[in-house]
């Protein structure tokens, strides 16, 4: 098969590799229909995630058809169309029992982490992928949900919802600010709407992204390079600050921004992946009664979000800015990595329809 192989910082190639095989009875093999590229894949290519070894197939998002199932898999059959979650969960360890799938201790992730696809084992930017712990790590795609919409449920929608909105404890009437209106920040904006906030303010350096955010449910936008950006945000509250400030960038500057705009007793939810430490000015913050949360997505709300997408209560089509053939993945990386110029949000990679009908369902 063909796959996108990481060959060290700055180096990748779409090349011929051996087909994956079932290794454990709980595995399935999925033939990819649609996959996409995450900001985290760009971090890997920069060399920011040293756990990724050379030779690794990248990608942790996608939808496809089950083409082979291990002997212990009873709930999935050949032909099922499934969303591959970015988090693999064994379903049995202490963390899985608590619903903290992000920290699943399953044997595949020697480091004890649920994000293993395209990280510690081969991922989804390929024609075929081996999915471990399949029954507890994939979701069947209901009729009416496209593979592209399903792909958004692999990572960005649950990430924005769980680590941004739920950890931020958004409630009716709140004023919510989201700093960073990339795909993950936009997912937080869209899913915050489910909780009835009075305002959702998108804050970004990129004026285009601030404008785009209104299509995802932002009521207001502030360009963070404007002088007085903070006063603009405060003017949208009662003057005391926002109830919930979500950080969806991952740099010290934006973490300082969320601390600057949260009101006393408010919530700061950090979603961004940080490459270096940030200042936490506890000498000023100790008295402020704020709550700060962090986290890797658990994907424990994927099923709920999928239901809302299927019922069209969550509109996800605007996330897809570009579509490419899977074979053109290197072009897609180029487009995605120049998002400010290309206005890319999510770049979908679709496998060319194979001849004939999808495989027959077999028991
Ligand atoms: N915690 C998790 O489980 C998890 C999961 C997936 C992604 N992430 C992380 O979430 C973050 C966002 O992901 P994404 O794919 O949306 O990234 P992205 O790079 O597409 O978006 C980041 C946005 O931040 C904006 N930005 C950059 N500098 C800024 C500044 N100084 N002030 C205001 N805005 C600024 C950019 O213009 C861009 O719109 C990344 O750090 C990613 O690694 C975390
Ligand atoms: Zn991701
Ligand atoms: Zn587990």
């Amino acid at each position: 098969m063909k796959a996108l192989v990481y060959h060290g910082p700055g180096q990748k190639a779409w090349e011929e590799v051996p087909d994956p095989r079932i290794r454990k009875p709980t595995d399935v093999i999925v033939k990819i229909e649609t996959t996409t590229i995450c900001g985290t894949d760009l971090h890997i290519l920069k060399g920011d995630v040293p756990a990724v070894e050379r030779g690794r197939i990248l990608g942790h998002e996608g939808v496809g058809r089950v083409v082979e199932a291990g002997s212990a898999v009873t709930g999935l059959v050949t032909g099922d169309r499934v969303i591959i979650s970015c988090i693999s969960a064994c379903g049995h360890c202490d963390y899985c029992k608590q619903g903290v799938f992000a920290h699943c201790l399953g044997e595949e992730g020697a480091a004890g982490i649920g994000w293993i696809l395209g990280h510690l084992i081969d991922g989804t930017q390929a024609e075929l992928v081996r999915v471990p712990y399949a029954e507890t790590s994939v979701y069947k795609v209901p009729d009416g949900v496209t593979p592209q919409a399903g792909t958004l449920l692999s990572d960005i929608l649950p990430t924005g919802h769980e680590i941004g909105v739920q950890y931020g404890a958004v409630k009716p009437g709140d004023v919510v600010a989201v700093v960073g209106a990339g795909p993950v920040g936009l997912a937080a904006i869209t899913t915050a709407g489910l909780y009835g906030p009075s305002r959702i303010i998108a804050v970004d350096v990129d004026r285009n992204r601030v404008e785009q955010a209104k299509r995802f449910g932002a009521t207001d936008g502030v360009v963070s390079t404007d002088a007085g950006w903070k006063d603009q945000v405060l003017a949208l509250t009662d003057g005391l600050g926002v109830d919930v400030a979500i950080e969806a960038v991952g740099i010290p500057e934006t973490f300082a921004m969320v601390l600057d705009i949260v009101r006393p007793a408010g919530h700061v939810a950090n979603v961004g992946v940080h490459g270096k430490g940030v200042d936490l000015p506890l000498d000023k913050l100790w008295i402020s009664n704020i709550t700060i949360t962090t986290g890797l997505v658990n994907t424990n709300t994927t099923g709920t979000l999928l239901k809302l997408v299927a019922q069209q209560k969550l509109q996800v089509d605007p996330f897809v800015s570009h579509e490419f053939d899977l074979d053109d993945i290197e072009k897609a990386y180029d487009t995605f990595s120049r998002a400010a110029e290309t206005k890319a949000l999510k770049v979908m990679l679709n496998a060319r329809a194979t001849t004939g009908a999808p495989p027959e369902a077999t028991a």
Side-chain angles (χ1 to χ4, degrees):
M1 68 159 180
K2 286 284 193 68
L4 199 274
V5 180
Y6 172 71
H7 288 293
Q11 293 181 324
K12 60 176 171 5
W14 178 246
E15 63 190 35
E16 198 65 38
V17 296
D19 286 1
R21 287 178 299 107
I22 298 275
R23 291 196 195 165
K24 302 220 170 113
T26 45
D27 291 348
V28 298
I29 304 292
V30 173
K31 184 169 176 29
I32 291 291
E33 292 181 303
T34 297
T35 182
T36 185
I37 306 168
C38 181
T40 307
D41 297 321
L42 300 183
H43 278 299
I44 293 171
L45 279 162
K46 278 193 219 135
D48 289 350
V49 190
V52 180
E53 291 171 358
R54 286 161 200 245
R56 177 69 62 234
I57 298 170
L58 298 183
H60 50 265
E61 297 161 276
V63 165
R65 298 261 184 198
V66 174
V67 290
E68 195 183 346
S71 57
V73 176
T74 55
L76 294 165
V77 295
T78 306
D80 280 347
R81 175 180 272 166
V82 293
I83 296 165
I84 301 164
S85 177
C86 67
I87 300 294
S88 305
C90 76
H92 300 293
C93 73
D94 276 357
Y95 283 120
C96 282
K97 284 182 180 156
Q98 292 172 42
V100 187
F101 305 121
H103 291 273
C104 172
L105 297 166
E107 310 146 44
E108 298 267 353
I113 193 160
W115 170 43
I116 55 176
L117 284 170
H119 178 204
L120 307 176
I121 66 169
D122 286 338
T124 56
Q125 290 168 5
E127 290 175 328
L128 296 164
V129 59
R130 178 181 74 93
V131 181
Y133 310 122
E135 276 182 292
T136 37
S137 308
V138 306
Y139 296 81
K140 286 189 204 174
V141 182
D143 287 344
V145 174
T146 63
Q148 292 75 22
T151 297
L152 298 167
L153 287 150
S154 288
D155 178 353
I156 66 159
L157 282 168
T159 295
H161 179 234
E162 295 167 18
I163 308 304
V165 176
Q166 288 196 323
Y167 280 14
V170 175
K171 56 185 191 314
D174 277 357
V175 178
V176 178
V178 178
V179 176
V184 170
L186 293 171
I189 287 171
T190 295
T191 55
L194 298 168
Y195 296 80
S198 60
R199 281 184 192 276
I200 306 174
I201 309 165
V203 183
D204 202 291
V205 279
D206 182 343
R207 196 170 291 276
N208 168 57
R209 286 221 160 147
V210 170
E211 271 317 302
Q212 294 279 337
K214 302 202 175 137
R215 292 164 62 216
F216 294 82
T219 54
D220 302 273
V222 171
V223 179
S224 61
T225 45
D226 285 357
W229 74 271
K230 182 182 165 184
D231 292 336
Q232 287 182 44
V233 173
L234 295 188
L236 294 166
T237 71
D238 54 7
L240 296 176
V242 301
D243 298 286
V244 182
I246 296 172
E247 200 283 354
V249 187
I251 55 175
E253 191 184 341
T254 44
F255 190 74
M257 285 167 71
V258 288
L259 292 180
D260 248 8
I261 56 176
V262 71
R263 66 192 281 126
H267 285 252
V268 165
N270 182 81
V271 186
V273 171
H274 288 262
K276 42 181 166 168
V278 301
D279 277 338
L280 189 63
L282 274 180
D283 53 333
K284 302 199 176 66
L285 292 176
W286 73 269
I287 202 168
S288 69
N289 299 57
I290 62 167
T291 303
I292 301 177
T293 55
T294 68
L296 173 66
V297 60
N298 285 307
T299 66
N300 60 311
T301 67
T302 306
T304 303
L305 295 171
L306 176 56
K307 204 168 12 170
L308 295 171
V309 169
Q311 293 173 355
Q312 308 208 340
K313 294 205 167 111
L314 267 184
Q315 295 298 334
V316 295
D317 295 342
F319 280 100
V320 180
S321 64
H322 294 76
E323 298 201 56
F324 291 89
D325 272 348
L326 183 53
D327 283 334
D328 288 330
I329 190 164
E330 298 201 62
K331 252 192 249 167
Y333 261 94
D334 178 61
T335 300
F336 183 66
S337 62
R338 295 184 295 112
E341 276 163 74
T342 61
K343 305 200 184 335
L345 288 173
K346 282 307 253 191
V347 168
M348 289 294 160
L349 291 146
N350 303 313
R352 263 187 228 148
T354 41
T355 48
E360 289 286 306
T362 52

